[in-house]
Amino acid sequence: MQQPQHPELDLGPVRALLLDADGNLFASEEPAFAASTGVTNDFLAWLGSDHHWEPADLQAAALGRNFRSLAGDLAAEQGVTVPDDEMETWVAREQDVVTRHLAATLVPDPAVSDALRLLADRWQLAVVSSSALGRLAACFTAADLDEVLPVADRFSAQDSLPAPTSKPDPAVYLLALERLGLAPHEAVAVEDAVSGARSAVGAGIPTVGNLVFVPEPERAERRRALLDAGVVAVVEDWDELVDLLGLQEERRTEVSA
């Protein structure tokens, strides 16, 4: 079997792949920010700001972070202290709007699910996300990924930690390592966003950047940014990740069967 050619990716001790969700396992970024923009603009108005985001600008500014993190930054910029109960109301509203939209929008992608099932034959798979567990549940069901990535193997920076946070804070990756009984070198993370890559790298985990759902005009810039964030390699899609991880022969056998 051909082995991965990247010198910094030693798969010998690896026991698990830790996978970001949004923009990595399904094309959820654009519909999520389209749904989130209205809530974000309402929150800005509540803060006393007259600024209004367009979905593309909001996505560029907040990619890889959850609404709680973004809202906290927006409030700080306005010099407004948001009471905890008020923040929870806004977070719940945004989560509800986005979750319902994603549940109605996402569809299964065989290129992703086939690669995941192949990878799951070799390594344990887990999800490490900034998104809330409720949103993840709707996405995984819509994308038909519940079987390969069940609820017990999902970690949320929003819901799984004692105090909610968001990538690039490495806390959610550190939690996943602890719960799975892994040292950092016993895992490989797969991330599409720079903030997610910084989170995984900050936890000491070898990380691969994945451009699978990044629009073509943005790929060269995203590749550079991911490499600057410390990833050991960048792939174009899940097929290339399978090749990088040395499972070409298994894929050829599966295709020919």
Side-chain angles (χ1 to χ4, degrees), residues 68-171:
R68 184 189 302 276
S69 173
L70 174 66
D73 288 347
L74 294 175
E77 290 171 8
Q78 293 296 314
V80 177
T81 299
V82 182
D84 290 345
D85 59 344
E86 185 70 36
M87 180 63 80
E88 292 304 321
T89 297
W90 283 102
V91 168
R93 176 181 168 187
E94 193 268 354
Q95 180 180 330
D96 178 65
V97 169
V98 172
T99 297
R100 286 189 285 107
H101 185 62
L102 290 175
T105 302
L106 295 182
V107 295
D109 185 338
V112 176
S113 57
D114 290 350
L116 289 176
R117 289 183 175 89
L118 187 63
L119 295 168
D121 286 339
R122 176 68 61 86
W123 296 286
Q124 180 178 3
L125 305 184
V127 176
V128 183
S129 174
S130 283
S131 294
L133 291 174
R135 169 173 162 172
L136 293 177
C139 291
F140 277 83
T141 297
D144 195 24
L145 295 176
D146 283 322
E147 181 180 350
V148 68
L149 290 163
V151 172
D153 298 323
R154 302 172 193 171
F155 300 92
S156 162
Q158 176 101 335
D159 295 325
S160 302
L161 294 162
T165 184
S166 181
K167 299 173 182 176
D169 188 329

Side-chain angles (χ1 to χ4, degrees), residues 28-244:
S28 57
E29 299 287 11
E30 289 188 7
F33 282 107
S36 181
T37 299
V39 180
T40 303
N41 286 335
D42 287 347
F43 180 70
L44 280 168
W46 182 85
L47 291 174
S49 171
D50 59 2
H51 182 76
H52 289 268
W53 292 96
E54 294 297 326
D57 296 328
L58 179 62
Q59 181 173 349
L63 186 65
R65 295 191 293 156
N66 54 34
F67 178 79
R68 184 189 302 276
S69 173
L70 174 66
D73 288 347
L74 294 175
E77 290 171 8
Q78 293 296 314
V80 177
T81 299
V82 182
D84 290 345
D85 59 344
E86 185 70 36
M87 180 63 80
E88 292 304 321
T89 297
W90 283 102
V91 168
R93 176 181 168 187
E94 193 268 354
Q95 180 180 330
D96 178 65
V97 169
V98 172
T99 297
R100 286 189 285 107
H101 185 62
L102 290 175
T105 302
L106 295 182
V107 295
D109 185 338
V112 176
S113 57
D114 290 350
L116 289 176
R117 289 183 175 89
L118 187 63
L119 295 168
D121 286 339
R122 176 68 61 86
W123 296 286
Q124 180 178 3
L125 305 184
V127 176
V128 183
S129 174
S130 283
S131 294
L133 291 174
R135 169 173 162 172
L136 293 177
C139 291
F140 277 83
T141 297
D144 195 24
L145 295 176
D146 283 322
E147 181 180 350
V148 68
L149 290 163
V151 172
D153 298 323
R154 302 172 193 171
F155 300 92
S156 162
Q158 176 101 335
D159 295 325
S160 302
L161 294 162
T165 184
S166 181
K167 299 173 182 176
D169 188 329
V172 68
Y173 270 107
L174 294 172
L175 174 71
L177 291 174
E178 179 183 355
R179 293 276 181 86
L180 297 172
L182 300 170
H185 70 280
E186 294 178 314
V188 170
V190 183
E191 284 277 356
D192 69 292
V194 174
S195 61
R198 289 175 177 159
S199 174
V201 171
I205 303 169
T207 304
V208 176
N210 188 5
L211 305 179
V212 58
F213 295 119
V214 177
E216 187 63 38
E218 301 174 18
R219 289 196 170 197
E221 181 179 353
R222 183 72 63 84
R223 179 183 291 273
R224 287 192 294 269
L226 286 167
L227 290 169
D228 287 345
V231 304
V232 298
V234 179
V235 298
E236 293 287 322
D237 53 33
W238 284 92
D239 282 346
E240 190 173 337
L241 181 69
V242 167
D243 290 347
L244 178 70

